[in-house]
Each structure stands twice: as structure tokens, then as C-alpha cells.
Amino acid sequence: MKFRTVALSLAAALAATAAFAQADVIKARQEAMKATGGATAIVGKMLKGEEKFELAKAQAALTQYVTVGEKGPSMFPAGSQNGDTAALPPVWTNKADFDAKFAKFAAEAKAAQGKITDEASFKATMPDVLKNCGGCHETYRAKKS
């Protein structure tokens, strides 16, 4: 009897730990995406002329894009679709495409880091980098209501 009680307690502890781990993964990716959105808001304002172009801010956004692009696939491990997340099931059922979109985003952002040296190159290059965001969000993220 004692063994069974210990085994049940251990199973309950592991289940609770897994639930907390899932919540931590979801929270971490939400924070990463929020930081990426914040960087994109600044870039968007510069593209629209609502904010003065600053190369340092453009490069900081690109650095954020490279980071999230490289780490993105690991932020969506199997089982992390359960919880408070806007990620849609295709993230996990079409993982190869999902991961490829992150890789493309990182590669294009990395290439743009070398291309963007002034406002003209920023305006010519950044819109193509930003298209990656929409391409992923259309298929893999629930629409905000």
C-alpha cells in the first residue's frame, strides 16, 4: 500500500510540474512575441514617417527578429498547445513548415542587417522582412477578437 501511495504522489507531482512547465513555455514565447511586436511598432512608425528614422533602432529590431527567428521553433514544443495561447493547431501538425517560416524570417532579417545602412535602404528592405510576420500569423496564430 505504501508503494502505491508514493507512486500516486509522484505521478501527481510530475503532472503538476508538467502543467507549470507548459505555462512557463507559453509565457516565455508570449513575451518574446510581445518584444518582437514592440520592435515592429517602432519600425512601422519609421516606415510611415511617424517617427524619425534611426539606424540603431532599425538594427535593434532586426536583431530581435534574428533572435526570435532562430529560437522560435523551440518555443513551441509538443504539448505546449494546451493553455492560454493564440497558437493554432497547425503549429504542431505542420511543424516542418512552421519551423521553416521561422528560419526564413531569421535569414532575411540577418541579411537585412548588412543591407540597411540608411533610411533609403531601410525603406527598400524592411517591408520584405516584415512580410514574414504576416505569412506566419495568417496560418499559425488565432485572430484577435
Side-chain angles (χ1 to χ4, degrees), residues 5-126:
T5 303
V6 170
L8 288 174
S9 295
L10 182 58
L14 288 174
T17 301
F20 286 124
Q22 295 298 48
D24 288 347
V25 167
I26 292 169
K27 183 177 179 170
R29 74 177 175 233
Q30 288 171 340
E31 289 173 2
M33 295 303 170
K34 194 176 288 186
T36 302
T40 303
I42 293 167
V43 165
K45 287 178 182 179
M46 288 192 299
L47 283 170
K48 293 176 191 172
E50 296 171 0
E51 192 171 302
K52 183 180 173 232
F53 170 77
E54 290 184 45
L55 181 59
K57 288 182 179 180
Q59 290 293 335
L62 289 166
T63 297
Q64 174 65 25
Y65 298 162
V66 170
T67 299
V68 83
E70 290 175 346
K71 292 183 178 180
S74 68
M75 292 189 294
F76 294 84
S80 68
Q81 67 270 32
N82 303 316
D84 181 22
T85 179
L88 294 171
V91 167
W92 295 274
T93 60
N94 197 4
K95 189 79 163 119
D97 180 65
F98 182 71
D99 291 354
K101 288 188 182 307
F102 269 114
K104 182 176 183 273
F105 183 44
E108 289 188 13
K110 194 174 283 191
Q113 286 176 315
K115 292 178 186 175
I116 296 176
T117 57
D118 58 18
E119 188 172 9
S121 58
F122 168 75
K123 288 186 174 183
T125 304
M126 191 59 82

